[in-house]
Amino acid sequence: MCGIVGYVGPRDCSDVLVSALTKLEYRGYDSAGIAVFENGKIEVAKSKGRLTDLVNKMETQGKPQGHAGIGHTRWATHGEPSDINSHPHSSGRRVSIVHNGIIENYKDIKKFLIENEHGEFLSDTDTEVVAHLLDYYYDGNPIKCIRKVLHEIRGSFALGILFADRPETVYAVRCESPLIVGQGKGEAFIASDVPAIIKYTKDYFLLEYGEIAVLKNGLASFCDLHGRMIEKELKTADFDEDSAEKGGYPHFMIKEIHEQPTAVKTTITPRIECGMPNLSECGITPEELKKFNNIFIVACGTAMHAGMVGKYVIEKLARVSVTVDIASEFRYRDPLIGENDLVIIISQSGETADSKAVLNLVKGTGAKTLAIVNVKGSSIAREADMVIYTHAGPEIAVASTKAYMVQLSVMYLLAFQMAFAKGRIDEEECQRLTLELVRTPEVIEQTINRIENVCRYVSTKLITADSLLYIGRGLDYALSMEGSLKLKEISYIHSESYAAGELKHGTISLITDGMPVIAVATQNSILEKTISNIKEVKARGAMTIVICDIQADIDKEAADYIIRIPKINETLMPMVATVPMQLLAYYTSVNKGNDVDKPRNLAKSVTVE
Ligand code: F6R
């Protein structure tokens, strides 16, 4: 969603802000803007559209020249994408702000300001109201003013603020929405995410709830909600600029698909000891795992789909009941959770608003929470009882690929360890399964090399489709949910995933001549049944594409196209079968000329409900 940046230092501030915002483009946006101190005055430039539109506008109308300022990419929530609604928002001349998140009580505040004859409102945004409220309370003491406003606004937000009479200084505050403060040599930054500033510095502070940062003379200092100065721990990013760049690939998505073998290896290797899964560094012991009677896996989108695979695997191996739920549903459905239950929250960003809300819901129920998160120090990681970090590195493409793959690998580790702890499998079986998992990075790599061109070709058969179906049974059904989401989000082709055995109960009536049906058929124990379903749709005119292993016996008449992948243990097949689904989605989007990494209307990190 929206991205915030800020800079104080010797470089050309406008250039730094635009460059940093470019690295936040993946979050999704529809307008952009900056505000910079130029000769002691705040100069603003903003534009609807992409960052290139802002840059073009500044080329013709003049770029603010200075060394301190704030910048923003906006993903519209209150008011349409337009120049006027773009950030930064100002209160006349005294205050300029950028904002990520939502101010829930902005209408009440606006009413209050109008009643007090304060401010002329030009935009439809909640943000502009906050700019005026800051102005209303400002008496020359920025910290006091920010604290006062913090007590009055409700919602999830992070703000970057300029006060006109405090030139060359940037203020920032955070409540819920993420914000980091970068510290370079003689320069300081704020940003919604570390990749935005990694080009300039790897050192950063994590701003906590209610903390205020002041960037001045190239240095960052901090105070708490009560206005007391505080020292914060300086962290160092464990990735560099290269890993946050495309590295020769045309899109981040395909680069991230190719990074999967390494991501899986980096995620599982430190959690395996003497051939057995060992999650004790994450606070998870076999004794603890033994206690759980029910597991709830709660997440959104792709992360939820990783949970679906987890359900099949945990239930099969550990014989523990697993319920998978969408976070936005779970949080409002008054779920039955209690002691001896484990609630697993899966999230790449660790900032997804609905998933985060689940943590609050679980508090006080007696259930334990375990977060499986990719972004270090993110809210979900910090608030859960236990955390397993996935080590996918920064995922920039909006469509999640490597984060999903590493989430799957953690699901397996957890399932193996739980099955062993509960005495459902013996040590030998646990070691055998773990070894198979250890070998998957190599198989994933072989799979990519083997089928990339095939998928590129098959995707040309999809580009004219208006609608398609993804089908599968068991684990293949769980996988097809992700395949379908991946395809629809970046190709804009309507797609649904269906349990293959359910087609006859209604959905098969949708099949018309040439409609693509992609069947995931990697589960040999139920292959016959899936093949029957493929034949049923084929007989009704569907164009069938079958994803199966190299040995699977598939009738030529049943499949128009077959994508064959290496065969491994059936339970682990999702680690391999994910690859063709990702590649089909990627190349369909490329062939349609879509913006693969930044699909329309989508944001990488969904920090609002
Ligand atoms: C789709 C995708 C989304 C996310 C979802 C949850 O490719 O990436 O469906 O999986 O928005 O995001 P996180 O994992 O950050 O909680």
Side-chain angles (χ1 to χ4, degrees):
M1 310 228 111
C2 306
I4 288 183
V5 295
Y7 177 70
V8 170
R11 301 176 204 255
D12 178 320
C13 181
S14 298
D15 289 352
V16 174
L17 295 176
V18 171
S19 146
L21 286 173
T22 311
K23 302 290 184 299
L24 295 181
E25 280 191 300
Y26 70 91
R27 297 170 70 88
Y29 72 107
D30 40 50
S31 55
I34 60 171
V36 173
F37 279 110
E38 182 175 295
N39 300 323
K41 272 174 48 196
I42 301 173
E43 293 296 336
V44 175
K46 52 189 189 174
S47 168
K48 178 185 163 188
R50 312 305 288 180
L51 276 164
T52 44
D53 297 310
L54 174 68
V55 171
N56 291 341
K57 191 168 181 179
M58 291 196 292
E59 262 165 26
T60 50
Q61 297 180 8
K63 176 178 82 171
Q65 303 287 339
H67 299 283
I70 50 181
H72 191 261
T73 43
R74 173 175 187 254
W75 190 84
T77 54
H78 297 72
E80 56 167 14
S82 67
D83 286 3
I84 291 279
N85 287 334
S86 312
H87 299 210
H89 285 284
S90 307
S91 67
R93 295 185 174 277
R94 293 214 303 173
V95 182
S96 254
I97 69 169
V98 287
H99 162 220
N100 174 15
I102 282 184
I103 307 298
E104 284 163 7
N105 58 339
Y106 80 102
K107 282 192 183 146
D108 295 340
I109 296 170
K110 192 167 179 176
K111 188 163 163 265
F112 165 82
L113 289 166
I114 290 169
E115 278 166 9
N116 284 279
E117 294 174 2
H118 197 94
E120 188 193 344
F121 297 92
L122 307 174
S123 77
D124 305 318
T125 66
D126 48 347
T127 309
E128 189 186 19
V129 174
V130 179
H132 284 292
L133 191 66
L134 282 159
D135 187 296
Y136 180 80
Y137 286 122
Y138 190 52
D139 63 359
N141 182 336
I143 302 288
K144 189 174 139 207
C145 167
I146 293 170
R147 287 177 52 223
K148 177 80 184 139
V149 167
L150 273 187
H151 283 113
E152 305 227 341
I153 57 180
R154 266 200 335 266
S156 59
F157 53 85
L159 302 171
I161 310 167
L162 304 182
F163 290 92
D165 65 350
R166 290 286 185 281
E168 310 311 311
T169 311
V170 169
Y171 295 84
V173 65
R174 173 201 172 189
C175 163
E176 305 284 345
S177 302
L179 200 65
I180 59 108
V181 178
Q183 184 62 70
K185 289 195 177 69
E187 55 187 353
F189 308 78
I190 57 168
S192 298
D193 207 350
V194 181
I197 57 157
I198 201 81
K199 176 173 170 189
Y200 306 103
T201 180
K202 288 175 89 173
D203 296 331
Y204 68 97
F205 302 94
L206 270 175
L207 210 57
E208 303 282 349
Y209 182 94
E211 287 177 350
I212 300 168
V214 184
L215 277 54
K216 194 177 174 183
N217 297 330
L219 276 179
S221 58
F222 304 92
C223 58
D224 67 12
L225 198 54
H226 310 287
R228 292 181 296 239
M229 295 296 289
I230 49 169
E231 293 290 324
K232 289 187 64 69
E233 183 197 346
L234 190 63
K235 299 184 179 295
T236 303
D238 57 5
F239 58 90
D240 53 22
E241 200 189 342
D242 277 356
S243 48
E245 294 293 337
K246 286 189 202 141
Y249 289 94
H251 301 101
F252 281 109
M253 183 174 171
I254 190 70
K255 174 183 176 243
E256 288 161 5
I257 290 173
H258 279 267
E259 283 171 347
Q260 293 182 117
T262 310
V264 171
K265 207 182 285 174
T266 322
T267 299
I268 61 173
T269 308
R271 279 81 188 245
I272 296 172
E273 223 176 80
C274 304
M276 294 285 280
N278 184 341
L279 298 166
S280 50
E281 51 110 13
C282 316
I284 303 162
T285 59
E287 293 70 42
E288 185 103 53
L289 285 178
K290 232 176 7 205
K291 283 195 314 220
F292 298 122
N293 295 333
N294 296 298
I295 297 180
F296 295 86
I297 302 183
V298 193
C300 304
T302 289
M304 190 274 287
H305 295 154
M308 285 301 295
V309 172
K311 171 187 166 71
Y312 280 86
V313 179
I314 296 171
E315 286 191 342
K316 178 175 176 185
L317 296 174
R319 310 304 295 156
V320 182
S321 156
V322 182
T323 306
V324 182
D325 219 327
I326 298 166
S328 56
E329 288 296 313
F330 188 82
R331 64 183 289 194
Y332 293 117
R333 77 166 168 81
D334 201 7
L336 290 168
I337 31 178
E339 252 170 64
N340 295 333
D341 289 347
L342 173 67
V343 179
I344 303 177
I345 291 143
I346 309 180
S347 175
Q348 187 284 129
S349 63
E351 301 293 347
T352 303
D354 285 315
S355 305
K356 209 157 87 178
V358 171
L359 282 170
N360 292 334
L361 183 87
V362 176
K363 265 185 205 138
T365 62
K368 281 255 177 191
T369 52
L370 163 65
I372 298 173
V373 168
N374 195 43
V375 177
K376 309 256 162 7
S378 53
S379 309
I380 293 174
R382 283 181 293 155
E383 285 166 30
D385 298 324
M386 301 169 284
V387 55
I388 304 179
Y389 279 115
T390 52
H391 298 305
E395 189 178 64
I396 309 293
V398 165
S400 182
T401 53
K402 62 176 179 171
Y404 172 75
M405 186 69 95
V406 291
Q407 286 160 359
L408 292 188
S409 70
V410 169
M411 288 284 104
Y412 284 107
L413 282 178
L414 202 59
F416 300 164
Q417 180 152 23
M418 187 170 269
F420 179 63
K422 291 214 173 242
R424 299 288 179 183
I425 55 173
D426 60 17
E427 188 168 336
E428 198 182 324
E429 174 68 350
C430 192
Q431 283 180 335
R432 196 182 60 73
L433 286 166
T434 308
L435 183 63
E436 295 238 25
L437 181 65
V438 168
R439 287 184 179 144
T440 56
E442 205 181 315
V443 189
I444 296 168
E445 188 152 5
Q446 284 165 10
T447 310
I448 300 172
N449 295 337
R450 183 190 163 104
I451 62 163
E452 187 162 356
N453 280 335
V454 181
C455 291
R456 192 200 309 250
Y457 171 71
V458 174
S459 73
T460 61
K461 309 293 168 196
L462 298 177
I463 49 176
T464 51
D466 295 325
S467 183
L468 60 83
L469 289 181
Y470 246 106
I471 61 168
R473 282 173 178 261
L475 272 172
D476 288 333
Y477 172 47
L479 268 180
S480 72
M481 290 180 188
E482 175 56 9
S484 173
L485 174 66
K486 209 82 314 165
L487 194 98
K488 80 179 107 185
E489 69 174 321
I490 56 171
S491 74
Y492 312 147
I493 297 171
H494 170 253
S495 163
E496 273 188 67
S497 58
Y498 245 81
E502 183 67 9
L503 286 173
K504 286 199 281 290
H505 299 285
T507 310
I508 202 161
S509 69
L510 288 175
I511 304 289
T512 49
D513 242 10
M515 179 180 181
V517 175
I518 306 175
V520 190
T522 71
Q523 298 298 295
N524 282 332
S525 49
I526 41 173
L527 188 63
E528 289 294 311
K529 310 253 176 234
T530 311
I531 292 177
S532 300
N533 300 129
I534 299 170
K535 286 183 177 163
E536 284 158 12
V537 291
K538 179 77 190 138
R540 284 156 182 84
M543 177 187 76
T544 53
I545 298 165
V546 180
I547 298 172
C548 59
D549 72 51
I550 34 174
Q551 291 164 15
D553 185 12
I554 308 284
D555 262 345
K556 284 264 163 29
E557 308 84 74
D560 289 289
Y561 303 97
I562 303 184
I563 302 173
R564 292 199 182 266
I565 53 177
K567 181 176 164 68
I568 57 170
N569 180 308
E570 183 171 309
T571 309
L572 282 152
M573 276 307 277
M575 296 290 292
V576 188
T578 299
V579 173
M581 300 187 320
Q582 295 169 337
L583 289 170
L584 280 177
Y586 173 73
Y587 281 110
T588 308
S589 178
V590 170
N591 287 331
K592 287 189 76 172
N594 294 350
D595 192 346
V596 178
D597 286 335
K598 299 186 285 283
R600 68 183 177 214
N601 304 338
L602 285 175
K604 181 72 183 161
S605 178
V606 184
T607 51
V608 295
E609 261 192 75

